[in-house]
Amino acid sequence: MKQSDLRCYSCPELFVRFKLALRAAQCEQQKIAFVLKGNDKQGVRDIKRYLTKQKLAFVVTTTAEQLIITVERETRV
């Protein structure tokens, strides 16, 4: 599984880097986990909305300081 640490970015660069990493993982047919700052509400909302719109299956895991969004390979909901 690939992992993309996006904690050091903010919108709009956060979303651009998210889409590039997602596209690369899909080309390689791998799962990918995105690590985000837990307090970046706008970035998290944008990413969740995009994944839902694309009908991609994802799981959100929260910890005290970060949020992890794991996207399945080509699994669509």
Side-chain angles (χ1 to χ4, degrees), residues 18 22 26 50-58 71-77:
F18 155 74
L22 179 64
Q26 287 176 323
Y50 180 80
L51 292 171
T52 301
K53 197 175 209 181
Q54 296 298 313
K55 298 182 180 165
L56 291 169
F58 64 96
V71 181
E72 298 293 326
R73 282 191 285 157
E74 284 291 320
T75 307
R76 304 239 177 205
V77 285

Side-chain angles (χ1 to χ4, degrees), residues 4 6 12-27 32 34 36 46-47 50-51 53-54 56:
S4 181
L6 302 174
E13 187 176 5
L14 168 79
F15 192 70
V16 171
R17 291 193 179 263
F18 155 74
K19 285 182 71 175
L20 290 172
L22 179 64
R23 186 176 300 142
Q26 287 176 323
C27 286
I32 186 165
F34 296 98
L36 303 147
D46 290 346
I47 289 172
Y50 180 80
L51 292 171
K53 197 175 209 181
Q54 296 298 313
L56 291 169

